[in-house]
Amino acid sequence: MGESIRIGVLGASGYTGADMVRLAARHPRIEIAALTANTHAGKQMAEVFPHLGVLDLPTLQNWEEVDWGTVDAIVCGLPHGTTQDITKQILAAHPRTRIIDMSADFRLRNTSVYASAYGQDHRAPEIQPEAVYGLSEHYRAEIAGARLVACPGCYPTAVLTALLPIVAAGIVDATDLIIDAKSGVSGAGRGLKQNTLFCEAGEGLSPYSIGTHRHAPEIEQEITRAAGEAVTVNFTPHLVPMSRGELVTCYVKLTNGASPADVREALRRRYAEEPFVHVLPEGGVPATQAVRGSNHVMVGVFPDRIPGRAIVIGALDNLVKGSAGQALQNLNLAFGIEETEGLMQLALFP
Amino acid sequence: MGESIRIGVLGASGYTGADMVRLAARHPRIEIAALTANTHAGKQMAEVFPHLGVLDLPTLQNWEEVDWGTVDAIVCGLPHGTTQDITKQILAAHPRTRIIDMSADFRLRNTSVYASAYGQDHRAPEIQPEAVYGLSEHYRAEIAGARLVACPGCYPTAVLTALLPIVAAGIVDATDLIIDAKSGVSGAGRGLKQNTLFCEAGEGLSPYSIGTHRHAPEIEQEITRAAGEAVTVNFTPHLVPMSRGELVTCYVKLTNGASPADVREALRRRYAEEPFVHVLPEGGVPATQAVRGSNHVMVGVFPDRIPGRAIVIGALDNLVKGSAGQALQNLNLAFGIEETEGLMQLALFP
Amino acid sequence: MGESIRIGVLGASGYTGADMVRLAARHPRIEIAALTANTHAGKQMAEVFPHLGVLDLPTLQNWEEVDWGTVDAIVCGLPHGTTQDITKQILAAHPRTRIIDMSADFRLRNTSVYASAYGQDHRAPEIQPEAVYGLSEHYRAEIAGARLVACPGCYPTAVLTALLPIVAAGIVDATDLIIDAKSGVSGAGRGLKQNTLFCEAGEGLSPYSIGTHRHAPEIEQEITRAAGEAVTVNFTPHLVPMSRGELVTCYVKLTNGASPADVREALRRRYAEEPFVHVLPEGGVPATQAVRGSNHVMVGVFPDRIPGRAIVIGALDNLVKGSAGQALQNLNLAFGIEETEGLMQLALFP
Amino acid sequence: MGESIRIGVLGASGYTGADMVRLAARHPRIEIAALTANTHAGKQMAEVFPHLGVLDLPTLQNWEEVDWGTVDAIVCGLPHGTTQDITKQILAAHPRTRIIDMSADFRLRNTSVYASAYGQDHRAPEIQPEAVYGLSEHYRAEIAGARLVACPGCYPTAVLTALLPIVAAGIVDATDLIIDAKSGVSGAGRGLKQNTLFCEAGEGLSPYSIGTHRHAPEIEQEITRAAGEAVTVNFTPHLVPMSRGELVTCYVKLTNGASPADVREALRRRYAEEPFVHVLPEGGVPATQAVRGSNHVMVGVFPDRIPGRAIVIGALDNLVKGSAGQALQNLNLAFGIEETEGLMQLALFP
């Protein structure tokens, strides 16, 4: 084994920050050197996340108090908007620090798309060009050398894993993609909102942000790239009464004479060597239960009753492959560590 | 008030049967005269459904033991397949008894479609022609005079309420309907199946019967009728970790220059006088939480990111408007009782 | 039928307020004349509680704006502490208005116990003496004539229903009462708190307020009265991942040679004529599923493995019999309406 | 590292069997050599447990087909009753094979207590004497040398961890132990039962097996041993709408002048060096959320409102420390492997 990578986690009091701690704490090459959470500075993680109370962790600090020169990498789990300023300042002071960003701040290459989607101007547009979009299986080479990795949103990770190879192969019509997405409640974070109270989200199902969700432009950015033409997609998320898990049901129109079996085969070939992407055999049905707590993605392909169409379904854990797990995968890539290190935990079922 | 209608409930040990008892027991014009459940014959309902233990109800019987000549109407909550024989025998012996059937046995007008969807020949094809499809808001006149009402499936009720008027109006393309459906677990009934165990269905989401669900031909039958041409629809159901509730997200292509607002307006006009169908104003989001335990359906219309398309969403309680509630609504219609009688219970939230 | 009772609901944006609206809207003798919710003044209830959107209700107002002289009764669902001032002011201005208070403000006869339990001085101690403790089955006569009814807490309703008769009968040792209580999350209200988020309360169980819950002094007040001696009880609540429902498991030491069967018999005799309290036969197990959404309480008695002890279990819906339902029952009593009016809804299961 | 231990898992299609596979598959010293599941023989684990589909595992077999001479240890996850015969046969044929039994068959030292609790005679009474009760922290030395380890039930593990040291220390009255227990639904196994259906167990809470649960004699066996006198305990389990997790709230009477702080201190001292038992500081509240998926137990001690009493609360994951995790811990002990090997996974929250 090589030496330890010292990391700091920005925003350790959120769900993605905590899941990064959960994974990193058991990673043989990582040392958790700093944890920040400005509203909880001075507390122990055990107070904020009792399930991490069995660990010996640094006390939570204000991010300004940390000596960032002593860490090799920063994993950022801050809300969007705040990440830009902090990243800019830290990179200015410590140009050799690598930043693995789980927030949305550097995912959109076009900062005017960012401004329109997030309702505020980008505050570090000069850094944006060096940000690599951290969809591990598709940007592996770029991630390896990057100083700033913008990890994809949870929904885009599921959707793009399912669709990018078949859009690129030209066997589905990129202008007719309908994506019905379903997420567990943890996707909304730990902030206090009425709609994520147990009594509001429990025993019920509701769509939200119909046509306006911020992950849609992110999906469109990558689909556009793969398609070679500007595309708009339907993206309709729903809130499901479960904590973890995300499933995307993608309705696609087949082109160039492709069959559903061709779609499945294209995906299998593309991901044959990938440790975390599993294209199921015919009839195999992805379910979030099968990936809960793990970094795995399951993909299944089905014929549609309507001729000439197919259904491509992807399932992942929004906090792992959809956030902290993929961030750790990218951190492994960035530091030349075995990509699966610290990520081989199996799903927890039931 | 008029005199009491004496009813018998066939299959009172299932969820739809029990929900019929729940509603009928508080209906001012109904007397529950007989309850059958062959595997529980001789028991009290309190043993089978403790929540009904506060009622004074007839003992459960074998259906063969009941003197059906003494009841005015039978509500049938048996599994599909068994209903045909029993209906045939009872109607032969008691031609004036009305049957409100919550099972699937008489929903499909074409018995060869039945045979192919349900994997068995229809055993009472000679009765099929007189069965009226019991979508109350769309077949009111026929239901009023019918001896045999085939209540729609839960999914078809949601889908057809959302789509029939706009298909009939020619403002959506009937050949390009994509229906992503989500249901609570009670839709699968009270039978013992591994996938409906708490530990299997809880904290997770999975699609099922993709492209093969038996409600698809039923939906197609009615859409075909409204469209005036034979159509095939996409229908993809998902199992959601909640007991009650169903939500259908329908992706439609607009035709004849219609806008999403036109779609909403067409629905509002069609249902303006309906007590149970609520077309929400712009921005209003249907959610199953808002209809739990009630006979109401909520419908919302949204623009799609893809130009020329719209999203129509319907939500209902699968055991009420999707089954026992609509059956009671039809029973009211059949006997000339005020249609809303016994059905004004508000949704239970949280 | 007599004339309508015009009511106003103070705090209609909380769960207990909303459940009062749900019940009162279908009560044949009640007219909902005013709804207040200061943080939502000017909104429609449909915006705050979509499941009530099918009703035609008054717009939400600030409580100061309502002309309280035009209502016959006020049902108060405000948080504790705020109720005292408002009650005082309204009663001073409108001495003939009746107040049915669902808050905790007037439950404790001794205002110094209030001060210590709620951490603030009582602000209307001069009104306290006329407040009647609204445990309907035990204070029926007093409630009938009362101007101010202090409805019990949800836990005390369950515990006292199960224990008062047997403490009063001297067949259990009032100084050795151990009450393990479990509640759904709605008991914590609709306010934003981290521990009632779906992701925090879901898929887990935790005790809370161990030894310090504010309902303990309330239980002790009534047990002391029944026992004729000052008692302290164990009361240990737990938060359960469900929205509605409360179950109390009471461990009692038998005295005077009583057996568990004697305990059951004493309870059956006491509640034989009560429409809402159901003492189950031997072996009958109370469960919250059987009372969800209803005003019923189920009570069961079991022998303990330890000789000379018994287990008395009560189950109710915390928002109905534990709050809005009992409030409506008291309102019926106060106005000489049939006690069960508007409360005969059966439990919603599943 | 030493060589691999080859294990076979009997009953791999149940929840405890599957959790053993989940843990063992990532254990650096274990090789899964055989998996049996008689009703699923010939299938792949991926068909039976899709979440394990990412592993390369042996095909499921009938247990009679396995060459048990080629494995070093058998972990048995069969239902009680069937284990006795199989164990007897295997040990007769392969006397050097070690058996780690997760079933109930060898937990009760007195086979007549077994017969009375399980309703059938013990079929291998001659082996019973060599079975070691596998409560790892309390029988470590015996487990190390044992050929047959009878892992405790999930409830007994939680209860005994919380109570054994303080009973042994004589600071609580062993004849007055009241144990209110709550479990997630996975404790009932994967068999098809009506009460574990999602719609039955969801959104509700119910006690079960009141006074008659089979874990009570097991708890009494060990408490009796620690107390040095025969004791009977109250043990009242409740079914909670969650998949994993168990919490026991133990009400104890203090003796010999002990205070709640003394109880906490006695527990802290006893478990100070234990990697999996965490006695929380004053005010620390155990919750199942904090141990989900992990082998940790959390214990908290609280004063009672009734003087001279205390409340001791334990929380664990019933499938891990309550079953497969403790079995693996015992397997580590039996083979001289570091006790924590393969068990350091942190809890999955949310």
Side-chain angles (χ1 to χ4, degrees), chain D residues 119-179:
Chain D
Q120 55 186 56
D121 282 342
H122 201 285
R123 288 201 295 277
E126 69 279 18
I127 306 178
Q128 184 61 53
E130 69 168 299
V132 170
Y133 190 69
L135 190 65
S136 317
E137 288 78 8
H138 291 266
Y139 288 91
R140 193 168 271 133
E142 294 88 332
I143 294 163
R147 190 171 67 144
L148 173 57
V149 180
C151 298
C154 47
Y155 282 129
T157 298
V159 171
L160 298 173
T161 300
L163 297 185
L164 275 190
I166 55 178
V167 167
I171 56 179
V172 299
D173 180 350
T175 69
D176 191 358
L177 298 174
I178 291 169
I179 302 159

Side-chain angles (χ1 to χ4, degrees), chain A residues 15 22 25-26 49-51 54-55 186 203 244 278 290 292-293 296 298 319 344-350, chain D residues 15 19 22 25-26 49-51 54-55 186 203 244 278 290 292-293 296 298 319 344-350:
Chain A
Y15 290 142
R22 174 178 73 91
R26 294 295 184 243
F49 282 112
H51 74 296
V54 301
L55 296 172
S186 64
E203 260 293 305
R244 285 175 182 251
H278 307 270
R292 184 165 55 221
H296 297 286
M298 303 258 178
L319 293 179
M344 294 302 280
Q345 267 199 348
L346 294 165
L348 191 70
F349 177 85
Chain D
Y15 290 143
D19 232 30
R22 175 179 72 91
R26 294 296 183 241
F49 282 112
H51 73 296
V54 301
L55 295 173
S186 64
E203 260 293 305
R244 283 175 184 252
H278 306 271
R292 184 165 55 223
H296 296 287
M298 304 259 177
L319 293 180
M344 295 301 281
Q345 267 198 346
L346 294 165
L348 190 70
F349 176 85

Side-chain angles (χ1 to χ4, degrees), chain D residues 171-241:
Chain D
I171 56 179
V172 299
D173 180 350
T175 69
D176 191 358
L177 298 174
I178 291 169
I179 302 159
D180 189 291
K182 297 97 175 166
S183 176
V185 184
S186 64
R190 207 185 200 190
L192 302 180
K193 296 174 209 150
Q194 189 179 80
N195 72 319
T196 58
L197 291 176
F198 186 90
C199 292
E200 306 284 322
E203 260 293 305
L205 180 84
S206 55
Y208 67 99
S209 302
I210 306 166
T212 62
H213 195 283
R214 286 155 169 172
H215 287 175
E218 188 182 332
I219 293 168
E220 289 167 352
Q221 163 182 289
E222 298 300 313
I223 297 286
T224 289
R225 225 180 206 220
E229 60 170 327
V231 296
T232 303
V233 301
N234 173 295
F235 177 69
T236 309
H238 299 72
L239 190 66
V240 178

Side-chain angles (χ1 to χ4, degrees), chain D:
Chain D
M1 282 194 196
E3 347 164 5
S4 276
I5 311 296
R6 289 169 55 84
I7 70 164
V9 178
L10 277 169
S13 63
Y15 290 143
T16 57
D19 232 30
M20 173 52 70
V21 171
R22 175 179 72 91
L23 295 170
R26 294 296 183 241
H27 189 295
R29 291 283 303 282
I30 290 179
E31 178 191 347
I32 299 175
L35 296 174
T36 83
N38 285 24
T39 57
H40 295 282
K43 290 190 189 164
Q44 300 303 315
M45 273 298 262
E47 297 171 70
V48 176
F49 282 112
H51 73 296
L52 299 174
V54 301
L55 295 173
D56 188 21
L57 291 169
T59 300
L60 290 165
Q61 292 176 274
N62 278 301
W63 78 266
E64 296 89 343
E65 296 166 7
V66 179
D67 177 2
W68 296 107
T70 67
V71 307
D72 302 301
I74 296 170
V75 183
C76 177
L78 295 172
H80 66 82
T82 58
T83 304
Q84 293 160 2
D85 289 326
I86 296 178
T87 298
K88 196 163 145 180
Q89 291 180 49
I90 293 179
L91 284 183
H94 307 287
R96 297 182 51 193
T97 301
R98 287 172 194 257
I99 297 191
I100 312 290
D101 184 14
M102 302 189 289
S103 90
D105 271 12
F106 295 100
R107 292 173 191 161
L108 295 171
R109 293 186 182 87
N110 184 332
T111 54
S112 68
V113 173
Y114 177 89
S116 121
Y118 289 87
Q120 55 186 56
D121 282 342
H122 201 285
R123 288 201 295 277
E126 69 279 18
I127 306 178
Q128 184 61 53
E130 69 168 299
V132 170
Y133 190 69
L135 190 65
S136 317
E137 288 78 8
H138 291 266
Y139 288 91
R140 193 168 271 133
E142 294 88 332
I143 294 163
R147 190 171 67 144
L148 173 57
V149 180
C151 298
C154 47
Y155 282 129
T157 298
V159 171
L160 298 173
T161 300
L163 297 185
L164 275 190
I166 55 178
V167 167
I171 56 179
V172 299
D173 180 350
T175 69
D176 191 358
L177 298 174
I178 291 169
I179 302 159
D180 189 291
K182 297 97 175 166
S183 176
V185 184
S186 64
R190 207 185 200 190
L192 302 180
K193 296 174 209 150
Q194 189 179 80
N195 72 319
T196 58
L197 291 176
F198 186 90
C199 292
E200 306 284 322
E203 260 293 305
L205 180 84
S206 55
Y208 67 99
S209 302
I210 306 166
T212 62
H213 195 283
R214 286 155 169 172
H215 287 175
E218 188 182 332
I219 293 168
E220 289 167 352
Q221 163 182 289
E222 298 300 313
I223 297 286
T224 289
R225 225 180 206 220
E229 60 170 327
V231 296
T232 303
V233 301
N234 173 295
F235 177 69
T236 309
H238 299 72
L239 190 66
V240 178
M242 59 188 186
S243 286
R244 283 175 184 252
E246 212 156 82
L247 189 130
V248 293
T249 313
C250 308
Y251 300 97
V252 301
K253 185 186 245 170
L254 302 169
T255 51
N256 291 317
S259 69
D262 295 335
V263 168
R264 187 182 306 110
E265 186 50 28
L267 289 165
R268 295 200 83 149
R269 261 200 318 268
R270 172 63 182 80
Y271 294 120
E273 304 301 318
E274 291 296 343
F276 296 121
V277 183
H278 306 271
V279 180
L280 301 175
E282 187 177 353
V285 179
T288 68
Q289 288 95 326
V291 293
R292 184 165 55 223
S294 84
N295 201 48
H296 296 287
V297 190
M298 304 259 177
V299 181
V301 180
F302 300 84
D304 195 313
R305 292 175 73 83
I306 304 180
R309 300 191 60 97
I311 307 166
V312 187
I313 300 175
L316 52 69
D317 182 315
N318 54 303
L319 293 180
V320 189
K321 183 61 178 171
S323 187
Q326 184 155 254
L328 186 54
Q329 191 178 349
N330 291 336
L331 195 144
N332 284 338
L333 283 170
F335 285 89
I337 301 170
E338 178 68 38
E339 188 170 338
T340 57
E341 193 70 86
L343 290 168
M344 295 301 281
Q345 267 198 346
L346 294 165
L348 190 70
F349 176 85

Side-chain angles (χ1 to χ4, degrees), chain B residues 217-230:
Chain B
E218 189 182 332
I219 294 168
E220 289 167 351
Q221 163 181 288
E222 298 300 312
I223 297 286
T224 289
R225 225 179 206 220
E229 60 170 326

Side-chain angles (χ1 to χ4, degrees), chain C residues 15-347:
Chain C
Y15 290 142
T16 57
D19 232 30
M20 174 52 71
V21 171
R22 174 178 72 92
L23 296 169
R26 294 298 183 237
H27 189 295
R29 291 282 305 281
I30 291 179
E31 179 190 345
I32 299 174
L35 297 173
T36 83
N38 285 25
T39 56
H40 294 283
K43 290 190 189 164
Q44 299 304 313
M45 272 297 261
E47 298 171 70
V48 177
F49 282 112
H51 73 296
L52 299 174
V54 301
L55 297 172
D56 188 22
L57 291 169
T59 300
L60 290 165
Q61 292 177 275
N62 278 301
W63 78 266
E64 298 87 343
E65 296 165 8
V66 178
D67 177 1
W68 295 108
T70 67
V71 308
D72 303 301
I74 295 170
V75 183
C76 176
L78 295 172
H80 66 81
T82 57
T83 304
Q84 293 160 1
D85 290 327
I86 295 177
T87 298
K88 195 163 145 180
Q89 290 181 49
I90 293 180
L91 284 183
H94 308 285
R96 298 181 51 191
T97 301
R98 286 172 194 258
I99 297 190
I100 312 289
D101 184 13
M102 303 189 289
S103 90
D105 271 13
F106 295 100
R107 292 174 190 160
L108 296 170
R109 293 187 182 87
N110 185 332
T111 53
S112 69
V113 173
Y114 176 90
S116 121
Y118 289 87
Q120 54 186 56
D121 282 341
H122 201 286
R123 289 202 294 278
E126 68 280 17
I127 306 177
Q128 184 62 53
E130 69 168 301
V132 170
Y133 190 69
L135 190 65
S136 316
E137 287 78 9
H138 291 266
Y139 288 91
R140 194 168 270 134
E142 295 88 331
I143 294 164
R147 190 170 68 145
L148 173 56
V149 180
C151 298
C154 46
Y155 283 128
T157 298
V159 171
L160 298 172
T161 299
L163 296 185
L164 275 190
I166 55 178
V167 167
I171 55 178
V172 300
D173 180 349
T175 69
D176 191 358
L177 297 173
I178 291 169
I179 303 159
D180 189 290
K182 298 93 175 168
S183 176
V185 184
S186 65
R190 206 185 201 189
L192 302 180
K193 297 173 209 151
Q194 190 180 78
N195 71 321
T196 58
L197 291 176
F198 186 91
C199 292
E200 307 283 323
E203 261 292 306
L205 180 83
S206 55
Y208 66 100
S209 302
I210 305 166
T212 62
H213 195 282
R214 285 154 170 174
H215 286 174
E218 190 182 331
I219 293 167
E220 289 166 351
Q221 163 181 289
E222 298 300 312
I223 296 286
T224 289
R225 223 178 206 221
E229 60 171 326
V231 296
T232 304
V233 301
N234 172 294
F235 177 69
T236 310
H238 299 73
L239 191 66
V240 178
M242 60 188 185
S243 287
R244 283 175 184 252
E246 212 156 82
L247 189 130
V248 294
T249 313
C250 308
Y251 300 96
V252 302
K253 184 187 248 170
L254 302 169
T255 51
N256 290 316
S259 69
D262 295 336
V263 168
R264 187 183 305 111
E265 186 51 29
L267 288 165
R268 295 200 82 149
R269 263 200 317 271
R270 173 62 182 82
Y271 294 119
E273 303 302 317
E274 291 296 343
F276 296 121
V277 183
H278 306 271
V279 181
L280 300 175
E282 187 176 352
V285 179
T288 67
Q289 288 95 328
V291 293
R292 185 165 55 222
S294 85
N295 201 49
H296 296 286
V297 189
M298 303 258 178
V299 180
V301 180
F302 300 84
D304 196 312
R305 292 175 72 84
I306 304 180
R309 302 192 60 97
I311 308 167
V312 187
I313 300 175
L316 51 70
D317 182 315
N318 55 303
L319 293 180
V320 189
K321 183 60 180 173
S323 187
Q326 183 155 256
L328 186 54
Q329 191 178 349
N330 290 336
L331 195 143
N332 284 339
L333 283 170
F335 285 89
I337 300 170
E338 178 68 36
E339 188 169 338
T340 58
E341 194 69 88
L343 290 167
M344 295 301 280
Q345 268 198 345
L346 294 165

